[in-house]
């Protein structure tokens, strides 16, 4: 929920979305990930106001931030929490009035632990959707035993058949887990060095660092990639096509969970009451199933997830798992810059 995440719209879908936007509600503009204008999730809003909000789309958090920092006006943006410090530093957002968010009391308090998300000034980010980054694999070509450890990414057997997310948070969560670190809070220089050494060991095996979920799904479907550090999205695509894909969220070292959510833009062009109507529509129990079906992501509102049968949650890989879980909370901006720079060196072979 993620820096570069979600399904990119096809040309036909983009045309349909742009056509729909002409008749959309002019009093609310949402800047969202491509693919997130989901009818079922918008049904409560449409029932109240007659039209969907006006939507604009982005492919990753960097693009979204550049868009709004360059003057694009939106009422709500849907970033992942790692981007929140930038929005705050730029003075682009204001705290939420949580008394108007119907599901607020249901959200796990741990998701607000970061001072970038909640401080004495208020709640700056509303966690909304979550999913996992874990081991996706071709179940016909890769024995289940091989994916019980993150060391599969360093296994010479899969040299040239590995793909890893081109997202710095995902990559470092993988490397930290592989080297015994389960959080980047108070991470030491020695721990960073050990994780970087592990990534350099893995790099020669990597055929590609993927940035588009549909691209990864295509590479796995073609047989080019056998094992990937993947989000739920590519797995959902492959499952819908009947491809034999597994998704191990519980290797012995653990896996990682990310979440994304909403920031309330300062001086948005629309009506503030409609901002909260849209937020409440997204958190509504009736919205959970359409989002899981369309995107493969879960809702942090437990009342919403309770509407989805346990077997369906398990089949979609959004059920709770009992494992070590690296939660991708916001990190200190100086550490982020350091890790991004180091990752670029590693990808370049240095």
């Amino acid at each position: 929920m993620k820096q570069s995440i979600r399904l990119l719209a096809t040309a036909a879908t983009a045309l349909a979305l742009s056509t729909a936007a002409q008749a959309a509600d002019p009093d609310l503009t949402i800047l969202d990930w491509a693919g997130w204008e989901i009818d079922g999730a918008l049904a409560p809003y449409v029932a109240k106001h007659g039209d969907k909000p006006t939507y604009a789309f982005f492919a990753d958090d960097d693009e979204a931030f550049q868009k709004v920092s360059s003057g694009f006006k939106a009422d709500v943006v849907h970033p992942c929490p790692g981007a929140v410090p930038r929005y705050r530093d730029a003075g682009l957002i204001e705290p939420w009035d949580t008394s108007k968010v119907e599901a607020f009391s249901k959200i796990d308090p741990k998701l607000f632990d970061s001072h970038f998300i909640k401080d004495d000034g208020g709640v700056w980010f509303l966690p909304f959707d979550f999913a996992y980054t874990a081991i996706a694999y071709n179940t016909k070509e890769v024995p289940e035993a091989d994916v019980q450890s993150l060391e599969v990414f360093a296994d010479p057997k899969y040299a040239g058949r590995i793909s890893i997310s081109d997202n710095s948070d995902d990559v470092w969560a993988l490397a930290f887990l592989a080297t015994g670190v389960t959080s980047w809070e108070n991470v030491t220089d020695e721990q960073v060095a050990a994780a970087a050494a592990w990534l350099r060991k893995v790099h020669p095996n990597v055929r590609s660092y993927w940035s588009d979920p549909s691209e990864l799904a295509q590479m796995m479907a073609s047989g080019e990639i056998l094992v990937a550090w993947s989000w739920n999205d590519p797995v959902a695509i492959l499952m819908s096509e009947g491809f034999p894909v597994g998704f191990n969220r519980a290797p012995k070292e653990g896996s990682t969970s990310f979440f994304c959510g909403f920031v309330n833009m300062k001086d948005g062009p629309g009506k503030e009451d409609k901002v909260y109507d849209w937020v409440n529509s997204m958190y509504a129990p009736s919205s959970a199933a359409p989002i899981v079906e369309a995107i493969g992501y879960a809702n942090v509102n437990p009342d919403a997830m309770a509407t989805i049968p346990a077997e369906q949650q398990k089949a979609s890989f959004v059920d709770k798992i009992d494992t070590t879980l690296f939660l991708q909370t916001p990190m200190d901006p100086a550490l982020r810059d350091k890790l991004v720079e180091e990752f670029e060196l590693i990808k370049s072979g240095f």
Side-chain angles (χ1 to χ4, degrees):
M1 81 283 133
K2 210 40 195 173
Q3 318 286 341
S4 170
I5 151 180
R6 317 301 212 269
L7 302 176
L8 297 179
T10 62
T13 302
L15 177 60
L17 292 176
S18 63
T19 302
Q22 295 176 11
D25 188 338
D27 294 329
L28 183 66
T29 300
I30 308 297
L31 181 58
D32 213 331
W33 301 93
W36 268 81
E37 189 182 20
I38 300 167
D39 287 345
L42 297 173
Y45 183 90
V46 172
K48 185 170 185 177
H49 295 292
D51 284 319
K52 299 178 184 179
T54 297
Y55 271 85
F57 299 102
F58 58 87
D60 60 44
D61 271 331
D62 288 335
E63 179 186 344
F65 180 75
Q66 289 301 321
K67 195 175 183 75
V68 293
S69 60
S70 299
F72 180 81
K73 293 296 185 182
D75 297 295
V76 182
V77 183
H78 184 178
C80 298
V84 174
R86 290 189 291 174
Y87 283 84
R88 291 191 60 180
D89 288 346
L92 292 171
I93 60 176
E94 60 188 13
W96 288 97
D97 182 347
T98 58
S99 69
K100 296 180 180 179
V101 180
E102 295 169 359
F104 184 75
S105 64
K106 306 286 186 179
I107 301 172
D108 187 342
K110 292 197 298 292
L111 298 179
F112 296 99
D113 280 350
S114 169
H115 67 275
F116 294 114
I117 292 176
K118 181 182 179 182
D119 63 12
D120 292 341
V123 173
W124 299 87
F125 173 84
L126 288 175
F128 170 66
D129 54 300
F130 72 91
Y132 298 88
T133 310
I135 305 173
Y137 62 102
N138 182 323
T139 58
K140 284 193 173 180
E141 300 292 334
V142 179
E144 187 175 353
D146 285 6
V147 295
Q148 298 309 303
S149 170
L150 298 179
E151 287 301 316
V152 67
F153 293 104
D155 189 336
K157 182 195 307 186
Y158 299 109
R161 312 296 294 278
I162 295 288
S163 187
I164 294 177
S165 169
D166 194 24
N167 176 274
S168 180
D169 285 15
D170 281 330
V171 165
W172 287 102
L174 166 63
F176 283 134
L177 279 169
T179 53
V181 179
T182 58
S183 170
W184 42 52
E185 292 292 326
N186 303 313
V187 69
T188 67
D189 289 343
E190 291 76 16
Q191 289 169 330
V192 171
W198 188 85
L199 287 175
R200 287 186 167 89
K201 179 176 70 172
V202 168
H203 176 71
N205 276 3
V206 178
R207 186 178 185 89
S208 70
Y209 291 93
W210 65 270
S211 58
D212 174 357
S214 60
E215 173 194 11
L216 175 58
Q218 290 167 5
M219 289 191 294
M220 292 195 70
S222 71
E224 179 181 350
I225 297 299
L226 296 180
V227 180
W229 189 236
S230 172
W231 303 325
N232 287 54
D233 318 37
V235 176
I237 296 171
L238 291 165
M239 290 176 64
S240 71
E241 296 173 351
F243 185 81
V245 62
F247 194 48
N248 185 12
R249 295 174 294 158
K252 68 178 184 180
E253 300 91 344
S255 61
T256 181
S257 178
F258 59 85
F259 61 102
C260 299
F262 310 133
V263 289
N264 189 7
M265 301 301 292
K266 189 183 295 183
D267 303 320
K271 294 183 177 179
E272 193 74 355
D273 61 331
K274 290 190 174 183
V275 166
Y276 288 93
D277 287 341
W278 178 82
V279 166
N280 289 327
S281 180
M282 297 299 287
Y283 280 115
S286 61
S287 297
I291 291 172
V292 169
E293 291 167 6
I295 303 289
Y297 286 53
N299 189 323
V300 299
N301 178 5
D303 289 352
M305 293 308 295
T307 67
I308 303 177
E311 61 271 19
Q312 184 180 344
Q313 293 191 38
K314 186 173 183 179
S316 299
F317 300 106
V318 294
D319 58 315
K320 291 183 178 180
I321 52 175
D322 183 17
T323 189
T324 299
L325 201 59
F326 191 116
L327 184 62
Q328 292 187 26
T329 54
M331 70 175 77
D332 181 87
L335 175 61
R336 174 179 297 280
D337 291 345
K338 177 180 180 178
L339 296 183
V340 168
E341 181 179 353
E342 187 71 8
F343 181 41
E344 291 303 316
L345 289 172
I346 291 167
K347 286 192 295 181
S348 299
F350 294 102

Coordinates of all heavy atoms in Angstrom, one line a residue, residues 47 134 308:
A47 N -25.2 6.6 -3.4 CA -26.6 6.6 -2.9 C -27.0 7.9 -2.3 O -28.1 8.3 -2.4 CB -26.8 5.4 -1.9
A134 N 5.1 -11.1 0.1 CA 5.6 -12.4 0.5 C 6.1 -13.2 -0.7 O 6.2 -12.6 -1.8 CB 4.4 -13.1 1.2
I308 N -16.9 -10.9 5.0 CA -16.4 -11.8 4.0 C -16.1 -13.2 4.7 O -15.4 -13.2 5.7 CB -15.0 -11.3 3.5 CG1 -15.3 -9.9 2.9 CG2 -14.4 -12.2 2.5 CD1 -14.0 -9.2 2.4

